[in-house]
Amino acid sequence: MSTSFKSAMERLKANIRDVPDFPKKGIVFKDITPILSNGQLFRLAVTIFAERYQRKSVEKIVAIDARGFIFGGALAHYLGIGLTIVRKKGKLPYQSHQHDYELEYGQGTLELHIDGVEKNQRVVIIDDLLATGGTAEAAAKLVEKCGGEIVELAFLVELGFLHGREKLEKYPVFSAITY
């Protein structure tokens, strides 16, 4: 890891705010909104992803509801490729594949349009944070249902102590910052 990359990561990490007891008592929420509200830091975060993927023949970004949309849209724009979104059940208007999954605080269902990813299309799945891995795994399963090829799952932040990467061991995973 280069010194400039380490410096960039430390700069981003210094601007992630801990919010105790959110969304429920005993949880320390990692709040990335200070990064998003600072143009230079937001650009830095997107550039880290863009530099990683600009030479990997990525054909589409798949962004996970909801904060993944922020990074996914900016990254797709930067790379000049399309964006597909994975949403919670009932939020997409067209025929969709569905996948049920476990999340930190219960259960959920994610959806992806049946034509959101083409067969053999090379995609990066992106979200803001990797916790237990349930949401990312569900998104990956949806991409596979469409026949897409997963280049990597990408996250700004990984909560390593929750072992989400273990659930995703079948897939390449990149996290810019790990706690």
Side-chain angles (χ1 to χ4, degrees), residues 46-76:
V46 172
T47 300
I48 287 165
F49 291 122
E51 287 178 355
R52 183 167 183 88
Y53 300 116
Q54 64 187 354
R55 290 178 195 80
K56 293 193 178 195
S57 302
V58 176
E59 298 171 289
K60 187 164 280 184
I61 300 299
V62 175
I64 299 175
D65 196 343
R67 289 179 301 260
F69 296 173
I70 299 164
F71 294 105
L75 180 59

Side-chain angles (χ1 to χ4, degrees), residues 8-153:
M9 294 305 94
E10 288 305 315
R11 208 168 142 216
L12 290 172
K13 195 171 186 177
N15 284 277
I16 295 173
R17 172 174 45 210
D18 284 348
V19 180
D21 299 323
F22 184 84
K24 64 182 190 177
K25 191 161 182 63
I27 293 175
V28 178
F29 185 83
K30 297 295 186 190
D31 181 13
I32 64 164
T33 58
I35 291 171
L36 300 176
S37 68
N38 179 306
Q40 290 180 347
L41 292 175
F42 181 48
R43 182 184 305 191
L44 176 60
V46 172
T47 300
I48 287 165
F49 291 122
E51 287 178 355
R52 183 167 183 88
Y53 300 116
Q54 64 187 354
R55 290 178 195 80
K56 293 193 178 195
S57 302
V58 176
E59 298 171 289
K60 187 164 280 184
I61 300 299
V62 175
I64 299 175
D65 196 343
R67 289 179 301 260
F69 296 173
I70 299 164
F71 294 105
L75 180 59
H77 171 76
Y78 186 100
L79 296 176
I81 61 177
L83 171 72
T84 293
I85 57 176
V86 172
R87 301 229 40 206
K88 294 174 181 95
K89 185 176 181 175
K91 299 291 184 182
L92 291 176
Y94 187 62
Q95 295 173 350
S96 300
H97 292 297
Q98 293 186 355
H99 189 82
D100 297 326
Y101 68 106
E102 300 279 329
L103 38 66
E104 301 90 282
Y105 318 116
Q107 292 187 329
T109 301
L110 290 181
E111 296 182 330
L112 171 67
H113 280 151
I114 59 172
D115 60 356
V117 173
E118 296 172 19
K119 187 172 173 59
N120 299 319
Q121 193 168 38
R122 292 175 50 82
V123 306
V124 167
I125 299 171
I126 193 164
D127 204 358
D128 66 321
L129 186 128
L130 171 59
T132 62
T135 304
E137 181 185 41
K141 300 276 188 202
L142 288 167
V143 167
E144 290 172 339
K145 283 181 184 179
C146 289
E149 178 187 335
I150 299 168
V151 173
E152 199 162 58
L153 286 96

